[in-house]
Amino acid sequence: MEVIESINNTKVKHWKKLHTKKGRENVGQFLIEGIHLIEEALKAHLPIKELIVEADKEIPPEWRVSEVPQVYVTRRVLNEISETETPQGFIAICDLPDNKNLPLEDGKFLFIDGVQDPGNVGAMIRTADAAGLSGVVMGEGSVDSFNGKVIRATQGSLFHLPVQRMNLLDAVQLCKENNIPVFGTSLEGSTYNAIEPQEHFALIMGNEGSGVNPTLLAQCDQNLYIPIHGKAESLNVGIAAGILLYHLRG
Amino acid sequence: MEVIESINNTKVKHWKKLHTKKGRENVGQFLIEGIHLIEEALKAHLPIKELIVEADKEIPPEWRVSEVPQVYVTRRVLNEISETETPQGFIAICDLPDNKNLPLEDGKFLFIDGVQDPGNVGAMIRTADAAGLSGVVMGEGSVDSFNGKVIRATQGSLFHLPVQRMNLLDAVQLCKENNIPVFGTSLEGSTYNAIEPQEHFALIMGNEGSGVNPTLLAQCDQNLYIPIHGKAESLNVGIAAGILLYHLRG
């Protein structure tokens, strides 16, 4: 068994490129770290291109990945490729999915406009999955959904429903053509629980500091607001998304 | 102006003790970092014992803290005391509040049982504030609410409503004596939106992995469950708390 021992190995340098959005897009691949997430990717039939394994670890037989190229590395090399503090010994390399055809014809959607924190974006994708949404659209200003921290915060939900990058003005326009009501979120909106649950909808959540882009808000059918009853200035955007999605889906 | 330049200074060693729960409890003080949080503490009339200031920074005059002892330190010393990556130049030392008398007689309460992640606990306190709750009770197994990461995630809400550490079985008992219905959260519970909004209630949220302690669940008037409509295994505990609190308060 050959084991990569040098962090200057060409393969190691290639994998490390996948830590940045630019690198992922140039190469067309992304990293999946850890046992639970790799199992979620396998369940979702994501094609794994290469499996990086720490030299003393055994691949769980139930993964049935004997046909996937396997590369063994030392702990030091694994730490170099890993983006977590305590790597679990397995990293999968996957092709970026080509889900450019999320149909905005009917269904329930979450649009994410300029949300920066990977934990927030990941939690929102996880909540969209839990709420049974049809898909998530990531606007151009949001953190990349194939960022390692985002993937970990989705707890695998990234592999459960379509998550597509798209210009949000275009996405709103498509919803309008298909009679899907679009709800923005704004302090100047209506109280959310005055709205009935909806069979089809798109909900737009905005940046942690500045909220949804005003140009987008102007295109929405209605803007919603969660009342603050205490002294907090606002809610966390992921928590606000949870309250609104579960209310709107009914 | 005297400036502390050595990280071995006695005062610096004292302040660093406040990074741990044990240290905070021994000393009876905690740290508040950053401009926004210090302003929130001042607004809430928290007595600041000492203000640590980076040597080249000017204290905003609107803080009106001329009577608070001020200690100037170099950037290097500030970095040593700080728990953030990019300290803003100000750290306040406060006495731990002695809020041992949160009355569980009437009102709306969040009970936190064994939640470990500081970001989750902080977000839950922020949400409890936003939802206009009367107070939060931290069970013995949860992360300390005066942990720096918790304080930052509350965005100042820690200073807006009583947050008290207490044995949760005792807290549930007090609620029962005062006819406050107690709702646990459990996969074996009722669907949350079958419950009407409540004027008085206590909601118990549990550990990220294992949920609410079964002994506590057995004492609850009713246990609630948020349906999962997609393929996610669960919701983030902070997001689940948001959905339930906003539903129960109506």
Side-chain angles (χ1 to χ4, degrees), chain B residues 48-73:
Chain B
I48 293 181
K49 289 298 176 191
E50 213 164 20
L51 192 61
I52 304 167
V53 184
E54 189 180 346
D56 67 340
K57 291 279 192 297
E58 233 171 275
I59 299 173
E62 64 272 23
W63 285 11
R64 298 166 200 254
V65 287
S66 53
E67 287 175 23
V68 174
Q70 291 154 19
V71 191
Y72 286 83
V73 301

Side-chain angles (χ1 to χ4, degrees), chain B residues 2-249:
Chain B
E2 204 192 339
V3 176
I4 299 181
E5 293 182 353
S6 163
I7 59 169
N8 296 317
N9 182 289
T10 325
K11 271 187 169 294
V12 177
K13 284 183 180 166
H14 170 87
W15 293 325
K16 281 178 68 182
K17 286 186 191 147
L18 307 181
H19 290 176
T20 67
K21 179 165 185 269
K22 203 179 155 196
R24 288 188 291 273
E25 286 175 355
N26 284 343
V27 176
Q29 296 183 326
F30 70 105
L31 300 170
I32 304 174
E33 267 204 60
I35 293 169
H36 175 248
L37 284 174
I38 293 176
E39 287 176 348
E40 289 289 326
L42 288 167
K43 260 196 254 172
H45 306 290
L46 242 75
I48 293 181
K49 289 298 176 191
E50 213 164 20
L51 192 61
I52 304 167
V53 184
E54 189 180 346
D56 67 340
K57 291 279 192 297
E58 233 171 275
I59 299 173
E62 64 272 23
W63 285 11
R64 298 166 200 254
V65 287
S66 53
E67 287 175 23
V68 174
Q70 291 154 19
V71 191
Y72 286 83
V73 301
T74 60
R75 182 80 192 172
R76 182 159 165 257
V77 169
L78 190 85
N79 283 337
E80 191 74 12
I81 313 161
S82 168
E83 295 176 289
T84 59
E85 277 181 36
T86 49
Q88 291 178 310
F90 301 95
I91 300 178
I93 309 291
C94 278
D95 283 343
L96 284 173
D98 182 31
N99 57 352
K100 289 209 172 126
N101 297 302
L102 175 64
L104 292 169
E105 288 161 10
D106 52 25
K108 301 178 175 74
F109 300 93
L110 173 65
F111 292 0
I112 300 182
D113 176 36
V115 177
Q116 293 298 314
D117 180 82
N120 284 341
V121 168
M124 286 161 89
I125 293 173
R126 179 178 172 193
T127 307
D129 178 16
L133 262 58
S134 322
V136 175
V137 177
M138 304 284 302
E140 284 144 358
S142 288
V143 64
D144 180 31
S145 51
F146 295 96
N147 169 307
K149 279 187 196 164
V150 173
I151 300 179
R152 288 192 294 285
T154 72
Q155 302 242 334
S157 287
L158 183 64
F159 314 134
H160 296 165
L161 82 172
V163 177
Q164 183 177 327
R165 192 162 280 273
M166 187 173 176
N167 178 289
L168 289 183
L169 280 168
D170 294 346
V172 168
Q173 193 51 43
L174 274 171
C175 287
K176 284 180 178 290
E177 286 166 16
N178 293 306
N179 296 313
I180 300 174
V182 180
F183 298 98
T185 42
S186 160
L187 294 181
E188 277 127 49
S190 321
T191 302
Y192 76 101
N193 47 12
I195 308 289
E196 290 298 305
Q198 306 281 321
E199 198 179 334
H200 307 286
F201 68 83
L203 172 71
I204 315 182
M205 299 301 303
N207 175 270
E208 288 89 344
S210 57
V212 177
N213 182 319
T215 318
L216 271 174
L217 284 181
Q219 297 293 318
C220 293
D221 293 285
Q222 194 158 3
N223 291 315
L224 306 181
Y225 167 69
I226 302 176
I228 302 288
H229 304 279
K231 291 180 225 155
E233 280 168 20
S234 61
L235 283 158
N236 165 280
V237 65
I239 292 177
I243 295 168
L244 294 173
L245 287 178
Y246 265 83
H247 177 77
L248 284 173
R249 70 135 11 254

